[in-house]
Amino acid sequence: MENMYKFKGEEGGDFSETIRIFNVSIALKPSSSAYIGLGKAYLYSYDFENAIASYKNAIELDENNAEAFTRLGWAYYWLNDADSALEYFEKSKVMAPNYYLNYLGIGRVHMVLLNDSIGAIPYFEEAVALNPYDPTNLGNLGDALFLSGQYIKSLEFFNKTIQLDPEAKSMYSDYYAYSGLALIQIGEFKKAIEPLNKMLKLKPGRKAEMFS
């Protein structure tokens, strides 16, 4: 069901019509996939409480729907609820051990919510192993390595990310900035200029954050 509709909110659009369509569909014939679609629409609208309720309704209809558990984990992540996020990512991981978004989610919880970059690394490594051509996976692994002080190794993954996503369109897209900062950390000041200039060109609003 959810693949029938374009989620404009991924591009900054309005989800009200998508939410209405899914609610009509659910009223006519409730299904786990329709509730997941509704939950995505709420999530992309930053309505996390309704997203959580939708995903839980999906689980009530299909308790083995791993995607619903994964998306619940992400909803709780955005609410900064590390314990609940980990709970649902782990439950989904049992059902779908090869679903990379669970490992990416667990890694994000460790790195962002628990300030444990070292603990995040093996989860990002698993996400990369399962989906090696996703710039978000590669960029997050680079971030965790950078934050753990492994600057040279982080550059390997930032460079791979840049090759896959040169215009920095992926979800977590600070890899030009961190690539430049990693080069500075290892004394490669001249080489750092190019990625930092690229970051400022693509995301001029990041200048104050990176250099304040």
Side-chain angles (χ1 to χ4, degrees):
M1 172 63 74
E2 63 190 280
N3 293 329
M4 294 173 61
Y5 304 100
K6 179 176 176 62
F7 282 88
K8 294 182 180 179
E10 291 175 279
E11 302 171 355
D14 181 5
F15 277 106
S16 56
E17 179 63 11
T18 304
I19 290 170
R20 186 191 69 79
I21 291 171
F22 276 119
N23 277 319
V24 169
S25 172
I26 288 166
L28 293 171
K29 186 177 180 181
S31 69
S32 184
S33 62
Y35 274 118
I36 289 175
L38 179 62
K40 286 177 65 177
Y42 280 128
L43 188 73
Y44 295 145
S45 300
Y46 306 106
D47 185 347
F48 303 117
E49 297 296 344
N50 273 320
I52 287 169
S54 299
Y55 295 141
K56 288 185 175 180
N57 284 333
I59 290 169
E60 285 185 10
L61 292 176
D62 181 3
E63 62 184 13
N64 296 313
N65 192 321
E67 183 183 1
F69 284 93
T70 299
R71 294 192 177 280
L72 257 177
W74 281 105
Y76 281 114
Y77 167 82
W78 289 114
L79 285 174
N80 298 318
D81 186 340
D83 289 340
S84 295
L86 289 174
E87 175 188 351
Y88 286 103
F89 285 135
E90 291 290 351
K91 286 180 178 179
S92 180
K93 189 155 67 75
V94 171
M95 292 182 278
N98 295 322
Y99 191 28
Y100 78 94
L101 283 175
N102 290 318
Y103 298 96
L104 180 64
I106 295 171
R108 290 290 298 182
V109 170
H110 279 277
M111 183 171 71
V112 178
L113 301 186
L114 301 179
N115 196 28
D116 178 17
S117 298
I118 293 175
I121 290 171
Y123 295 104
F124 290 143
E125 288 176 333
E126 186 64 28
V128 169
L130 291 168
N131 193 350
Y133 300 107
D134 187 325
T136 299
N137 291 341
L138 294 163
N140 273 281
L141 178 52
D143 287 353
L145 291 166
F146 174 88
L147 293 170
S148 301
Q150 300 180 58
Y151 304 118
I152 294 176
K153 192 173 181 181
S154 74
L155 284 167
E156 172 189 347
F157 293 97
F158 291 139
N159 289 334
K160 288 181 180 178
T161 307
I162 288 168
Q163 289 174 4
L164 289 169
D165 185 21
E167 297 305 308
K169 293 180 179 179
S170 64
M171 188 171 185
Y172 305 110
S173 55
D174 284 337
Y175 34 84
Y176 278 111
Y178 281 112
S179 177
L181 294 175
L183 288 165
I184 289 172
Q185 290 292 336
I186 63 174
E188 295 284 0
F189 302 107
K190 289 184 178 179
K191 290 183 179 179
I193 293 172
E194 181 179 353
L196 290 174
N197 278 338
K198 183 70 171 179
M199 180 270 294
L200 293 175
K201 180 181 178 182
L202 294 172
K203 299 180 181 294
R206 294 288 284 136
K207 181 177 180 179
E209 296 176 45
M210 298 304 298
F211 301 107
S212 60

